[in-house]
């Protein structure tokens, strides 16, 4: 997929983006229609709970503490027809 962080935890102010690709429900599988990603708007798996779980899990590994995150963007999508559920995370240092 992408780059993997190796080395000590990042320091300073950080920005994080999380893209959650959720499982496609059985009622959304079609034989003769395209099955692109669609926004996940179900009443469960709140975006803030998902983002908090990721930020807590990466503390001490990718960065020293999740308090360094000042800008976090979380998106939830339902997987395309040929796509497996996964999470894509991007963390970048900011200039200040």
């Amino acid at each position: 997929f992408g780059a993997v962080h190796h080395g000590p935890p990042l320091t300073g102010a950080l920005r994080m983006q999380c893209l959650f690709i959720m499982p496609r429900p059985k009622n959304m599988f079609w034989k003769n229609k395209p099955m692109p990603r669609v926004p996940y708007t179900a009443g469960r798996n709140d975006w803030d709970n998902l983002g908090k779980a990721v930020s807590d899990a990466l503390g001490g590994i990718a960065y020293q503490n999740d308090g360094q995150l000042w800008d976090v963007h979380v998106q939830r999508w339902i997987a395309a027809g040929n796509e497996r559920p996964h999470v894509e995370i991007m963390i970048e240092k900011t200039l200040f």
Side-chain angles (χ1 to χ4, degrees):
F1 289 103
V4 176
H5 177 73
H6 296 285
L10 298 170
T11 59
L14 303 172
R15 176 179 293 138
M16 180 170 70
Q17 294 181 28
C18 299
L19 175 65
F20 291 87
I21 307 301
M22 310 301 280
R24 191 169 194 88
K26 290 184 181 183
N27 67 346
M28 291 184 70
F29 279 94
W30 304 292
K31 292 181 182 178
N32 300 320
K33 293 194 295 190
M35 292 185 284
R37 279 184 186 172
V38 293
Y40 181 90
T41 57
R44 57 183 178 219
N45 297 317
D46 295 348
W47 68 269
D48 56 337
N49 293 336
L50 295 170
K52 179 73 171 143
V54 168
S55 69
D56 286 346
L58 293 176
I61 299 170
Y63 41 78
Q64 294 174 333
N65 184 293
D66 63 355
Q68 294 170 249
L69 300 169
W70 69 273
D71 182 21
V72 178
H73 186 88
V74 177
Q75 289 187 352
R76 300 174 306 159
W77 291 86
I78 293 175
N82 60 349
E83 190 174 28
R84 297 182 77 170
H86 64 279
V87 179
E88 298 173 16
I89 302 164
M90 183 184 77
I91 302 169
E92 61 184 343
K93 289 188 86 163
T94 56
L95 299 176
F96 50 85

